[in-house]
Amino acid sequence: MNALIVADDLTGAMDTGHQFAAGGLETIVRVDARSVDDDDAPSPADLNADRRTPTVVAVTTETRYADVATARERVARVASTAESDDSEITVVYKKIDSTLRGNVVAELEATVDATGAALAVVAPAFPAAGRATRDGIHTVDGVPLSETEYADDENGPTTAHLPTLLAASRYPVEHVPLEDVSKGGDALAAIVGNAAGRERAQVLSFDATRSSHLEAIADAAARCDERVVYVGSGGLARHVDVPGSGRETDSRRERGAAIDTNTTRKTGALGIVGSVNDRTLAQLERVPEAAITTLEPTDVLESPAAAGREAGSRAGQRLSAGEIAVLTGARSKSTVEETLETGRREGLDPTAVRRRVRRALAAGAREAVDTQPPVGLFATGGDVTVAVCGALEASSIALTGEEIEDGIPIGRLETGPAAGTTLVTKAGGFGGESVIVNSLHLIREADTK
């Protein structure tokens, strides 16, 4: 193993790992379902859990909504693998959310501490997904984070100004403006080298509005003589070189090439929608009404497993007919509020309500798979996807290096009763208006033999 990705959620581990897989590197995502609801997290021994030794391993710590202490401990436990006596890891990539949600500073510090890095190179921009940083202000589709729905998230960013957010770190922080990033080459490498050469570890954040800016940042970091930790989203990962791997950093595999048309398939494709991001809810509206099974809030809160199995059975019937089927906990913000209010009346806090919805969707996915194994799965919502993998006994996902759209990678489950099944994952805020229904139809027509 030459590269380690430490991500705070599964969809992030998938879309960041994809950037390495797309360059021709064997990339595996490790999943530990316990990390969603418990304090357990993948231990270093889990990183090479199968007989293969992939070039890149991505691990999800599921810490986006964890308390700071838990986030630090989990991240440090995984990142410390890079410093073990027999480690051959040359690249450590700390994946953070492209909208700066989660324990960004705490996890950055934990990674630097665990690896002994001299410098953290921070560039959360992902231009292909509409995320950019200019004058230190991080934006989504041109709108500062502080003016988007992400600012209202449970652990959303407190500011759109990246240097201000990072100023909470105990490490010195400097910001590199777009003017200097645009110079690239020796000039940018000198800035990075000077920061890494100081007596104390440093944090260097960067403006970036185009993929070429991220390429220049990654190149400058690669030329540094000291250990550097990369901190970013899927955008920066696309350009990070893994020494000695033969990675084709400029190659982009044909989008969707892993899905070959075969309309003779007799089974359907299953979607599990756990995200309630505005974009995901809009995408869900494009799915035919008959294909959607929405969990009833009262039933979910009373008995998550039973509610999930009943919904999964109905989805399985559609799969048996070769149709697409979607399981979801909500189709609108009003349904989300209704579920939370029902939970409050029963003495459940929002975290407990979300846990029951997650368990119901996972139980539904397993019931549907047991009723009629689908040709493939589509899942959105990181914690829900982890729970689904747990229900399917899938602890490892191999990335194909191909994607449906930018940030929406294609993988295959490697373990459990659905081993070999295509898995497409999507972060809540990613994708075009029809990405859910288009993905399901492409998967349904796939030849996955």
Side-chain angles (χ1 to χ4, degrees):
M1 182 170 62
N2 301 115
L4 172 66
I5 302 169
V6 187
D8 67 347
D9 82 334
L10 179 55
T11 54
M14 292 282 288
D15 71 58
T16 301
H18 162 76
Q19 308 303 330
F20 292 87
L25 303 185
E26 184 181 16
T27 304
I28 298 295
V29 178
R30 300 279 184 232
V31 185
D32 188 337
R34 298 171 302 169
S35 61
V36 176
D37 293 324
D38 303 323
D39 290 333
D40 296 312
S43 65
D46 292 327
L47 297 181
N48 288 311
D50 59 17
R51 292 186 295 273
R52 293 179 300 157
T53 305
T55 302
V56 183
V57 172
V59 178
T60 172
T61 56
E62 293 303 311
T63 48
R64 180 165 299 172
Y65 299 105
D67 61 81
V68 172
T70 299
R72 285 184 185 276
E73 191 278 330
R74 289 187 186 177
V75 169
R77 194 191 315 178
V78 176
S80 63
T81 309
E83 288 299 287
S84 64
D85 292 339
D86 59 349
S87 173
E88 296 182 0
I89 296 172
T90 55
V91 170
V92 176
Y93 196 99
K94 177 66 197 78
K95 195 279 177 186
I96 59 173
D97 180 47
S98 64
T99 60
L100 304 180
R101 292 172 297 167
N103 298 291
V104 174
V105 173
E107 296 193 11
L108 180 159
E109 290 181 337
T111 307
V112 171
D113 293 345
T115 60
L119 180 67
V121 169
V122 185
F126 196 166
R131 279 67 168 159
T133 312
R134 183 190 292 271
D135 298 326
I137 301 295
H138 197 60
T139 61
V140 175
D141 297 328
V143 180
L145 277 179
S146 54
E147 300 173 22
T148 68
E149 66 172 309
Y150 299 104
D152 298 325
D153 191 84
E154 180 182 339
N155 205 3
T158 56
T159 175
H161 192 243
L162 182 59
T164 299
L165 180 72
L166 297 175
S169 173
R170 66 175 182 275
Y171 293 116
V173 177
E174 292 184 16
H175 186 73
V176 182
L178 199 59
E179 178 183 0
D180 289 334
V181 173
S182 299
K183 294 175 182 176
D186 293 341
L188 188 58
I191 292 173
V192 173
N194 289 337
R198 293 170 189 165
E199 186 174 335
R200 186 182 177 195
Q202 306 284 308
V203 174
L204 206 58
S205 62
F206 295 81
D207 279 348
T209 61
R210 298 198 299 265
S211 183
S212 60
H213 296 148
L214 295 171
E215 183 178 10
I217 294 165
D219 177 67
R223 294 166 63 177
C224 184
D225 293 330
E226 305 294 333
R227 180 185 273 281
V228 172
V229 166
Y230 298 88
V231 182
S233 62
L236 179 63
R238 173 171 294 193
H239 305 288
V240 173
D241 183 40
V242 180
S245 69
R247 178 184 181 183
E248 305 165 16
T249 53
D250 293 328
S251 73
R252 293 285 101 187
R253 299 190 183 186
E254 183 181 350
R255 179 168 293 160
I259 300 181
D260 300 320
T261 300
N262 180 358
T263 55
T264 63
R265 276 279 169 184
K266 299 299 184 182
T267 188
L270 176 64
I272 302 96
V273 177
S275 170
V276 292
N277 179 279
D278 285 343
R279 177 166 293 192
T280 294
L281 294 177
Q283 293 162 349
L284 195 55
E285 291 179 1
R286 296 298 186 97
V287 179
E289 183 78 23
I292 302 175
T293 297
T294 305
L295 299 171
E296 175 60 41
T298 303
D299 294 341
V300 168
L301 297 177
E302 181 178 332
S303 180
R309 286 194 296 269
E310 193 277 331
S313 177
R314 280 186 280 155
Q317 293 172 15
R318 285 189 59 85
L319 297 178
S320 298
E323 303 291 342
I324 65 171
V326 175
L327 299 178
T328 184
R331 297 176 61 181
S332 66
K333 291 292 187 182
S334 61
T335 303
V336 175
E337 289 303 318
E338 177 188 350
T339 304
L340 291 172
E341 178 57 33
T342 301
R344 279 191 288 268
R345 290 197 298 268
E346 297 183 9
L348 300 173
D349 62 25
T351 298
V353 170
R354 284 191 288 269
R355 183 179 295 119
R356 295 193 182 196
V357 172
R358 185 162 61 234
R359 288 175 176 169
L361 288 172
R366 180 57 189 259
E367 182 69 22
V369 168
D370 287 345
T371 301
Q372 175 62 57
V375 71
L377 301 167
F378 173 94
T380 179
D383 54 355
V384 168
T385 306
V386 170
V388 168
C389 286
L392 296 177
E393 303 169 46
S395 60
S396 182
I397 302 165
L399 291 168
T400 65
E402 292 143 354
E403 59 188 356
I404 301 292
E405 294 182 11
D406 287 311
I408 305 175
I410 302 169
R412 297 199 188 283
L413 301 180
E414 291 213 308
T415 55
T421 302
T422 295
L423 173 66
V424 174
T425 60
K426 184 189 82 71
F430 282 11
E433 291 183 352
S434 299
V435 69
I436 294 178
V437 69
N438 287 347
S439 295
L440 288 168
H441 282 303
L442 284 170
I443 293 170
R444 184 186 63 171
E445 297 168 356
D447 178 4
T448 61
K449 60 177 183 255

